[in-house]
Amino acid sequence: LHGEAPAGGRDTAGAANAAGMGRTTAKTLEITQEKDIATARLEAWSEAVRIGLSKFTSVKVATAVSELARNIVFYADRGKVELRAVTDASGSRLQIVASDKGPGIEPSRLAQIFDGTYRSTRGMGKGLMAVKKLVDEFHLDTAPGRGTTVTCVFKGER
């Protein structure tokens, strides 16, 4: 993530950490319309490739980010996707944080989403469940009226 950030994005490249053991870079992409989904997908794939994740993992990254950005556009109208790449002695990993200030998800609906019985009016309702299966780490923070934040991590092989 060096150089100029794309339209709607903010490049916040970091330097080596205080112990000199690694490097962290971050990019924030604003998600407000459908075309931002494709931009986020491409940026995520590019970042995964740049930090040395496998081709297979890079495609999983792009797919997950596409699903998360789509959820922002369709259910919250606006939000952001942050790409945080870390390279250190333990390898490379890419953390994705997708957040919005939308309506949030009711606990009963969340249970339906993860047991596979939820059917969205805008699609199949399988996006979050699919993202959870694609990633190495997954965390969802949501509540009605508070919005939703999904944090996930993809790890490279070392």
Side-chain angles (χ1 to χ4, degrees):
L1 298 175
H2 301 284
E4 188 174 315
R10 181 178 46 129
D11 193 350
T12 55
N17 66 22
M21 297 175 64
R23 179 166 176 82
T24 301
T25 58
K27 180 178 280 188
T28 300
L29 303 166
E30 299 299 321
I31 308 295
T32 61
Q33 53 191 319
E34 281 194 56
K35 73 176 187 156
D36 296 332
I37 299 168
T39 300
R41 179 183 178 91
L42 179 59
E43 289 289 335
W45 177 83
S46 297
E47 185 61 6
V49 169
R50 185 190 71 77
I51 67 169
L53 299 183
S54 71
K55 288 180 183 178
F56 182 68
T57 300
S58 297
V59 170
K60 291 194 310 183
V61 166
T63 301
V65 167
S66 183
E67 286 292 337
L68 295 170
R70 182 180 180 280
N71 283 352
I72 290 170
V73 170
F74 287 176
Y75 301 110
D77 293 327
R78 67 183 314 108
K80 63 185 176 181
V81 171
E82 297 173 72
L83 309 173
R84 299 176 185 159
V86 177
T87 304
D88 58 23
S90 67
S92 295
R93 58 195 174 279
L94 184 59
Q95 181 185 58
I96 311 294
V97 180
S99 58
D100 65 61
K101 299 291 185 204
I105 305 170
E106 294 282 343
S108 61
R109 181 163 292 159
L110 200 55
Q112 291 174 332
I113 288 169
F114 288 113
D115 71 15
T117 61
Y118 177 69
R119 172 101 177 145
S120 168
T121 58
R122 294 186 173 250
M124 295 181 64
K126 307 287 186 208
L128 282 177
M129 190 169 56
V131 169
K132 186 174 182 180
K133 289 179 180 180
L134 288 171
V135 305
D136 294 308
E137 297 175 19
F138 180 89
H139 179 74
L140 176 70
D141 181 21
T142 187
R146 194 181 74 209
T148 301
T149 298
V150 176
T151 304
C152 51
V153 176
F154 290 89
K155 298 177 182 176
E157 302 79 34
R158 249 298 182 225

